[in-house]
Every structure is written in C-alpha cells, then in structure tokens.
Amino acid sequence: MIMPISLTIAGAAAILHVWLSLRVSRLRRPLKIGVGDGGNEILQRRIRAHGNFSENVPIFLILLVLLEFGTGGDLWLWGAAILFILARIAHAFGMDRPGANPLRVGGITLSWIVLLGLGIYAIILSYQSPPIRGGFDVSPLRSAASN
C-alpha cells in the first residue's frame, strides 16, 4: 500500500535532515572543531537546530503514517504535514539568529501545534467507529460479521 502523504513528507524530512547535518559539518571544518561545539555560539545553535529536528520528527512521522493509514489521507493531512516541514525550516533559520526571534519562536510553536493537533486527533480517531472518511477497517469483528 502506497501512502503518498507519509512517503512525500518522510522524503522531505530526510532531505531536511541532511541539510541540517551539512550546515553543522560546513561550520566545523573552518573552525577545526571535530567533536562538540568548541564554545562557538553559531555552531552550538546549528547543533541544537539539528538536534531539535531529530527530536521532533520521529513522533510526527509516526503520527502521520498512522493517521494516513487510519483515514485514507485527506487534504487537511497534507496541509498539516507541509506546515510542519515549513515550521522546521523556519526554526532552523531562526536558530542562526541570537535570542528569541519570529522564525525560531514561530517555527517551534507551529511544530508543537501540529504535533498537538495530530496527537489529539489520533486519540479521538482510535475510538471512532466506523473509521472516519474511508479509513481501513481491520477489526476482526467487522470482517467476521461481513462474511
């Protein structure tokens, strides 16, 4: 079964992950800092942007896959997924700036809102019967009753 929303966004997240890694690596070379941050504030910020991405994306992708499987996917799920990726990009650029700034604060706030919304919807969906909007029903009682 192909899940176009999850596959597209997982691919985008992988590309973004590599980009964030390269931003750290490109800064390490001229600074001659192989491990850690060497006390360099810009390197610290880029390492944290990459770390924060790595901390938030796995739970987002798990929710996305399960919700797409459970609902069959809808336009709103595309919107939430794209918003999450854009928020992560904004956060990364915001981390390059000192202090709280609109990109950093907006990026993390949007990320949290999307995660919170998907999390709440996942809980609600798990107790819906029948599944919402053409999702896949794999319950044994329904398959036995339909035969």
Side-chain angles (χ1 to χ4, degrees):
M1 171 182 172
I2 301 283
M3 298 172 65
I5 302 171
S6 299
L7 285 171
T8 301
I9 298 303
I15 292 166
L16 189 51
H17 183 79
V18 170
W19 173 70
L20 290 167
S21 299
L22 288 172
R23 285 170 33 106
V24 171
S25 294
R26 283 185 296 200
L27 195 53
R28 285 185 185 282
R29 277 188 235 123
L31 295 174
K32 297 183 176 148
I33 300 172
V35 176
D37 58 38
N40 183 286
E41 185 179 348
I42 296 170
L43 184 55
Q44 288 172 356
R45 290 176 176 282
R46 289 194 177 178
I47 289 170
R48 275 312 308 144
H50 182 241
N52 191 277
F53 179 84
S54 299
E55 294 159 1
N56 283 278
V57 167
I59 190 64
F60 167 75
L61 288 176
I62 290 167
L63 282 167
L64 185 65
V65 167
L66 293 173
L67 286 171
E68 185 175 8
F69 182 76
T71 65
D74 280 324
L75 191 57
W76 70 268
L77 195 56
W78 272 110
I82 292 167
L83 184 62
F84 183 83
I85 293 295
L86 292 175
R88 299 315 310 166
I89 293 168
H91 180 264
F93 281 119
M95 285 296 288
D96 278 352
R97 299 176 179 185
N101 60 74
L103 288 175
R104 181 179 173 196
V105 173
I108 197 63
T109 302
L110 281 174
S111 296
W112 287 343
I113 289 170
V114 170
L115 279 171
L116 184 61
L118 293 183
I120 290 168
Y121 186 65
I123 292 168
I124 291 168
L125 181 66
S126 67
Y127 294 98
Q128 295 289 321
S129 182
I132 296 173
R133 296 193 185 187
F136 302 96
D137 186 7
V138 293
S139 68
L141 293 176
R142 291 194 189 272
S143 60
S146 63
N147 288 335

